[in-house]
Amino acid sequence: MPPPPNPAASETRSRSAPALRPRDAATLILVDRSRKKPRVLMGRRNTRLAFLGGKFVFPGGRVEPSDRRMLVANALPQRSEDALAARLVGRSAMLGRSLALAAIRETYEETGLLVGSRDYGPPEVAPEGAWQAFAEEGVFPDLDALHLLARAITPPGRPRRFDTRFFVADRKAVATERPGIVGPDAELTEIAWVGLDEARGLDLPRITRAVLDDLEAAAAIDFKPFRPIPFYFERYGKGLRELL
């Protein structure tokens, strides 16, 4: 996620902070199911970053204008679209698509992994920036490979707030990788495929720990598409978890 100026404030309420409107953001959880127990891709944020420096996270960030213009091979599964539309007023018809593309783009920007398909050839056009790598590598973003796992809104009083949608995809959805993205001067200084129990032993943000539990529950029923989707938010100072 984009860094707020104060790391301590990122998970601590500030009584003087204004009630900011959450910004749309997305995260992608890649799952390796080739072994008996699933493993997930996690990255360690650079300790020099103000926001969550040194913590392990899933790749992700806010929606950018280019995400609304990138071409896709296939649409999101209908179950994910329906859940993305829940609890929203005046939702744009393109929101789900933009969120899924943001998750794919951020995953490339932070890890070098390009999620999509080479079956359709390269996209004819791609916005400037990170999406150019998909055109150069002949990878079409394939939204059908993504499924919504959870949604979480940063509580009021934080320096920055995000309405984050957590998507999950199989490791097989990675079409190719560009090396040299992860390193000591990058946003993520290391990435690793880790088991869920091992992941829980890492230095994690609270919401990441909660979503790991949701991931384990989804894996237990083989990621069936019509499973309940958790929604985390705060109302009147009380943290709530409801199902979409």
Side-chain angles (χ1 to χ4, degrees):
M1 299 297 174
N6 187 339
S10 63
E11 293 198 54
T12 305
R13 177 183 299 278
S14 171
R15 294 182 179 180
S16 60
L20 301 176
R21 181 177 181 178
R23 301 187 67 175
D24 288 318
T27 289
L28 182 56
I29 305 169
L30 289 171
V31 182
D32 182 351
R33 303 169 66 191
S34 63
R35 301 183 181 182
K36 185 176 181 180
K37 293 185 178 181
R39 297 182 299 159
V40 296
L41 182 69
M42 303 205 74
R44 186 171 186 261
R45 286 178 60 81
N46 199 310
T47 55
R48 290 177 291 184
L49 293 173
F51 181 51
L52 302 179
K55 289 188 178 291
F56 282 84
V57 297
F58 307 118
R62 64 173 177 249
V63 175
E64 299 290 353
S66 63
D67 303 327
R68 301 181 178 93
R69 304 193 304 272
M70 184 60 188
L71 301 175
V72 299
N74 293 292
L76 276 170
Q78 190 60 48
R79 169 62 178 131
S80 295
E81 283 283 10
D82 292 343
L84 286 165
R87 310 292 183 85
L88 291 178
V89 177
R91 171 184 179 269
S92 166
M94 300 291 286
L95 179 60
R97 180 182 183 279
S98 299
L99 287 163
L101 281 167
I104 291 174
R105 174 186 50 75
E106 287 282 346
T107 297
Y108 163 67
E109 289 181 340
E110 295 180 9
T111 70
L113 301 177
L114 287 82
V115 172
S117 174
R118 280 178 158 164
D119 294 343
Y120 308 96
E124 294 181 4
V125 293
E128 292 297 322
W131 289 119
Q132 287 293 313
F134 286 75
E136 293 164 4
E137 297 288 346
V139 176
F140 239 114
D142 189 352
L143 306 191
D144 187 54
L146 275 61
H147 297 268
L148 185 65
L149 178 72
R151 177 185 176 191
I153 298 179
T154 309
R158 304 306 195 267
R160 293 188 184 179
R161 300 182 67 207
F162 298 96
D163 188 345
T164 304
R165 283 71 162 194
F166 293 82
F167 293 93
V168 62
D170 194 278
R171 184 176 186 173
K172 295 178 181 178
V174 176
T176 190
E177 177 180 3
R178 280 194 168 183
I181 302 293
V182 178
D185 297 321
E187 184 171 345
L188 298 183
T189 57
E190 61 177 298
I191 58 175
W193 294 93
V194 297
L196 301 188
D197 289 339
E198 183 182 354
R200 291 187 180 96
L202 301 174
D203 186 8
L204 305 174
R206 286 198 300 269
I207 188 59
T208 303
R209 193 174 300 278
V211 171
L212 276 173
D213 293 340
D214 297 326
L215 180 68
E216 185 171 41
I221 58 173
D222 199 29
F223 294 96
K224 294 187 185 300
F226 290 94
R227 64 188 180 276
I229 294 175
F231 175 27
Y232 298 90
F233 62 99
E234 185 176 296
R235 181 180 293 158
Y236 304 121
K238 181 180 180 181
L240 300 175
R241 179 185 185 272
E242 297 184 357
L243 298 178
L244 302 175

